[in-house]
Amino acid sequence: QAVCCGHTHLPGAFTDGVAAYYNSGCWTERPCHYLAVHGGTVEVLPWHDAAEEPAADPPAVGQAVPEVA
């Protein structure tokens, strides 16, 4: 079981509860992240535009991405 959300909170992946919770974070503030689902596995991945700097590594499972000033 998993809950997947995308809203103005920080992106993160939390799997210690009854159901895994994945949040892609906000698309109106940088850096942006998205959820990728492959073979039953969910990943929080950074989105990077070709015109921007390379994105940082995605957050580890259970770790929120820190705010960027």
Side-chain angles (χ1 to χ4, degrees), residues 7 9-10 23 32 34 40 42-43 53-54 57-58 63-64 66-68:
H7 46 84
H9 294 268
L10 296 174
N23 186 337
C32 297
Y34 66 97
V42 180
E43 294 181 278
E53 294 289 320
D57 291 335
Q63 177 184 6
E67 284 192 60
V68 175

Side-chain angles (χ1 to χ4, degrees), residues 12-41:
F14 304 92
T15 59
D16 292 337
V18 175
Y21 173 80
Y22 300 93
N23 186 337
S24 63
C26 180
W27 274 91
T28 60
E29 297 176 19
R30 304 278 190 221
C32 297
H33 291 76
Y34 66 97
L35 302 179
V37 181
H38 300 283
T41 300

